[in-house]
Amino acid sequence: MTVRAGIAGAGMVAAVHADAIRRAGASVVGVAASTPERSKAAAPRVGAGRAFDSAEELAVSDEIDVLHVCTPNALHGPLVRAALSAGKHVVCEKPLSLTGADSEALVELAASTGLVNAVPLVYRYHPMTVEARERVRRDELGPIRLIHGHYLQDWLARPEDNNWRVDPAVGGASRAFADIGSHWCDLVEWISGHRISELTAATQTVLPQRSAAGRETFTGSGGESPPEPAETERIAVTTEDAVQVLFRTDRGATGALVVSQVSPGRKNRLWFEIDGAERSVSYDGEDPESLLLGGRDRTEIVRRDALSEPANRINAVPAGHPWGYRDCFAAFTADVYAAIRDPRAFAESAETAARAVPAFPTFADAARTAHITDAVLASAAHRSWIEVS
């Protein structure tokens, strides 16, 4: 079965989805950008067979089996609803919706249809993060006492930097935490088996104004920065540039997290450490080919060459050949498309969630991150500890 995919959105992440779709043996039938003209320009860039006039048209088209939602955040909920109602499987970038409550409504809608639903929380798909999880599951760390780390970027560090994510009407009330803090929380909960139960947070908007004509800075080109723009109109910024969080878990651990999109030199540093009574495990997303396994008597560096069976399941290239972001995405998409090709297996695992869950993150996982985000914003506003619903 050749799965027919449509991609709503035409930015950097849409191209990543397109690559993963083809690597999963499927075809990109159509793409839709913000205007018909932009859709036509995007079609050859993502290798789509057809440019659709709108994402709404694509979401319900008989020409696709699955919709990949890669649009600005405010469009996620409406497109997910339209696609599910039209009988389409859905892969949606996070956040699933702009609030935890609406995300839960989408979880329930997806469950009622029996359709495959997935969210690319793809840091679960690095062999070394899977290996970290296996070390915890084998009880090598002992009881977990402390979970801490950070997720740092610098792509919005200057006043001339801007992006649709800065606008709460388009990106949502939270920016830095919803965009990258959510990935950190999902990953450490998945690895540790602990869930963040309550937290206190402080948010910072270190650049209260940005250029109204600001550059789209997060291109991934690696090239030289464009020329500095001329002085232009400034707009007020209300979404956060950085967040600090203290938290407790449902199993008695404590933790701390720093999230920033304004840390010079940090391109994409997702770093965590999980400290148990006997050992600790830490991972650095900017140096991702190893884990540090700490201990009082010895500390080991675990390389990507002698891994557990679950980690080796996705370890598709030999050690010494770096495993990258697109490889994580491809491994995630392969699991999702296996479920689309055999939806009965997906439905059975969803029905027995107490005993088995799909191999990939679903809408329920995205709703979980949305609830944590809601709690972070509420805590920062009230300067108090907040329980995570």
Side-chain angles (χ1 to χ4, degrees):
M1 171 188 175
T2 299
V3 179
R4 304 169 302 164
I7 302 176
M12 180 275 290
V13 78
V16 175
H17 278 253
D19 173 68
I21 290 165
R22 285 188 287 272
R23 288 167 69 174
S27 62
V28 182
V29 171
V31 65
S34 56
T35 67
E37 293 73 25
R38 290 182 176 179
S39 296
K40 291 175 183 176
R45 189 169 67 249
V46 301
R50 178 185 164 192
F52 283 72
D53 286 347
S54 71
E56 291 76 15
E57 177 191 6
L58 175 62
V60 301
S61 172
D62 291 336
E63 298 178 41
I64 69 168
D65 303 306
V66 55
L67 180 70
H68 287 243
V69 181
C70 306
T71 63
N73 301 344
L75 298 176
H76 289 187
L79 289 174
V80 167
R81 284 186 168 84
L84 290 174
S85 298
K88 313 300 177 187
H89 307 290
V90 180
V91 179
C92 182
E93 279 290 330
K94 55 100 196 100
L96 181 58
S97 187
L98 297 184
T99 67
D102 194 52
S103 296
E104 287 292 349
L106 293 173
V107 171
E108 294 176 7
L109 175 61
S112 72
T113 67
L115 293 162
V116 173
N117 59 90
V119 176
L121 295 160
V122 296
Y123 295 110
R124 296 187 186 190
Y125 275 83
H126 197 292
M128 301 314 296
T129 63
V130 178
E131 183 68 15
R133 184 173 190 254
E134 287 305 301
R135 300 282 178 150
V136 172
R137 287 163 64 90
R138 296 201 301 251
D139 200 29
E140 292 186 19
L141 275 62
I144 292 173
R145 297 168 169 172
L146 183 65
I147 303 170
H148 55 109
H150 56 240
Y151 198 156
L152 309 177
Q153 297 176 337
D154 71 357
W155 66 288
L156 288 169
R158 296 175 176 169
E160 63 269 20
D161 298 332
N162 210 334
N163 179 270
W164 59 260
R165 291 174 177 83
V166 174
D167 182 355
V170 181
S174 172
R175 183 195 353 126
F177 194 88
D179 190 23
I180 58 176
S182 57
H183 273 296
W184 190 93
C185 293
D186 173 77
L187 187 61
V188 299
E189 287 196 339
W190 180 72
I191 290 171
S192 69
H194 287 231
R195 288 168 68 88
I196 297 170
S197 57
E198 58 179 335
L199 58 82
T200 184
T203 61
Q204 292 176 276
T205 302
V206 300
L207 292 172
Q209 291 189 328
R210 292 181 180 271
S211 169
R215 299 172 295 171
E216 175 69 35
T217 57
F218 196 31
T219 62
S221 65
E224 294 183 2
S225 298
E228 294 295 321
E231 188 63 29
T232 184
E233 179 187 354
R234 301 279 165 161
I235 58 170
V237 176
T238 59
T239 53
E240 80 280 359
D241 295 313
V243 185
Q244 298 82 38
V245 183
L246 297 176
F247 60 85
R248 302 185 182 99
T249 76
D250 59 344
R251 296 171 63 180
T254 60
L257 167 62
V258 176
V259 176
S260 168
Q261 293 177 323
V262 290
S263 294
R266 291 303 185 187
K267 304 307 177 185
N268 197 53
R269 194 176 198 237
L270 190 167
W271 180 88
F272 67 78
E273 179 168 310
I274 299 172
D275 298 338
E278 302 299 327
R279 309 211 75 180
S280 65
V281 64
S282 60
Y283 169 82
D284 181 353
E286 288 187 341
D287 186 17
E289 290 294 296
S290 63
L291 296 173
L292 189 69
L293 194 64
R296 277 282 296 271
D297 299 325
R298 70 186 188 281
T299 293
E300 304 171 46
I301 296 176
V302 180
R303 302 290 185 187
R304 192 172 53 81
D305 59 356
L307 304 181
S308 62
E309 182 179 347
N312 270 325
R313 182 183 76 86
I314 58 172
N315 193 23
V317 295
H321 300 75
W323 183 271
Y325 177 70
R326 287 194 176 217
D327 298 306
C328 294
F329 232 105
F332 158 79
T333 304
D335 276 353
V336 174
Y337 277 49
I340 289 173
R341 293 183 177 105
D342 186 7
R344 183 173 58 183
F346 174 80
E348 288 173 354
S349 65
E351 290 171 2
T352 59
R355 289 173 284 127
V357 296
F360 50 85
T362 66
F363 283 8
D365 298 296
R368 169 68 183 161
T369 67
H371 286 305
I372 296 174
T373 301
D374 286 349
V376 164
L377 293 182
S379 173
H382 298 291
R383 298 187 177 187
S384 62
W385 283 86
I386 297 288
E387 292 187 359
V388 180
S389 61

